[in-house]
Amino acid sequence: MSVPVTAAGDLRRLVVRDLRRDMRVLDGLIVNTALPVIIMVLFVYVFGGAITTGSSGLAYIDFVVPAVLLMSGGYGAALTAVTIAEDLSGGMIDRFRTLPISGWVVPAGHVVASVIRNVASSAIALAAALLLGFRPDASLADWALVLALVTGYVLAMSALAAVWGLLVSSPQAAGAFSFFVLFLPYVSDGIVPAQTMPGVLREFAYNQPLTPIIETMRSLLLGLPMGSSGAVATAWLAGTVALCVPVAAMLFRRRTASR
């Protein structure tokens, strides 16, 4: 049997292992299912009546849905850091080292499982938005591109979380990454128009990665002009994945070589 075929089988088994473990953790399962709905209801019904969308002229639910989709998937993706840190501190990596598997498939398994799990969380958030009155004007091709953007964002955040989980020394420290990912959309053009923010925050919001991703999703879902946001969003996502994947592999080899 060739090495690529063997590695693919190992990766599949580790992904299944991670997904099964998630299904057995009741509180995590509830969070992954309920949090997207809670966030959507919170923004539409609690904040929506008090926030205007400025010159865009959009209803607030139309304005905020792309950001909530990313928040729902991104928060769960950030928890990849915790699962990797738990494997490192709990002795699971030592057990894996006794098996004839490639070392890189261990962090890769966490990342792939995270993508599957958290794209599903974003789908739950979208279903909640539709129930609350969101009515997109997207073609089948537009929906495919939205799915690609959400998947790319979850993949990028999962890979970045893997790097963080391999850098820190405990699951508790790894958990701090989720707060960064959860609150990053607040300082973007996703929750409120960036033009309403003070100078420094406004410049940060215009130039951080989530703003072009959100603007691209808005354009695809609502039939708005896209401009250069699609290319910028693609560059951010591709660059993050291209940087984090080899860094995570290098850090994993270093962490496990000393054990």
Side-chain angles (χ1 to χ4, degrees), residues 129-149:
L130 294 172
L131 290 174
L132 294 176
F134 178 55
R135 295 295 179 263
D137 184 22
S139 66
L140 185 60
D142 292 334
W143 279 112
L145 290 174
V146 170
L147 176 60
L149 280 171

Side-chain angles (χ1 to χ4, degrees), residues 146-235:
V146 170
L147 176 60
L149 280 171
V150 173
T151 303
Y153 177 72
V154 173
L155 175 61
M157 289 300 101
S158 299
L160 190 57
V163 171
W164 178 254
L166 290 164
L167 283 172
V168 299
S169 58
S170 69
Q172 291 75 20
F177 184 71
S178 63
F179 292 98
F180 166 76
V181 174
L182 181 63
F183 289 105
L184 188 61
Y186 288 92
V187 195
S188 73
D189 196 41
I191 307 300
V192 298
Q195 64 197 35
T196 65
M197 299 178 185
V200 174
L201 284 179
R202 182 172 61 247
E203 290 305 313
F204 177 80
Y206 281 141
N207 294 284
Q208 65 127 310
L210 262 68
T211 291
I213 299 172
I214 290 168
E215 289 178 347
T216 303
M217 291 175 64
R218 234 180 244 142
S219 299
L220 292 169
L221 290 170
L222 303 174
L224 301 175
M226 185 177 299
S228 61
S229 63
V232 176
T234 302

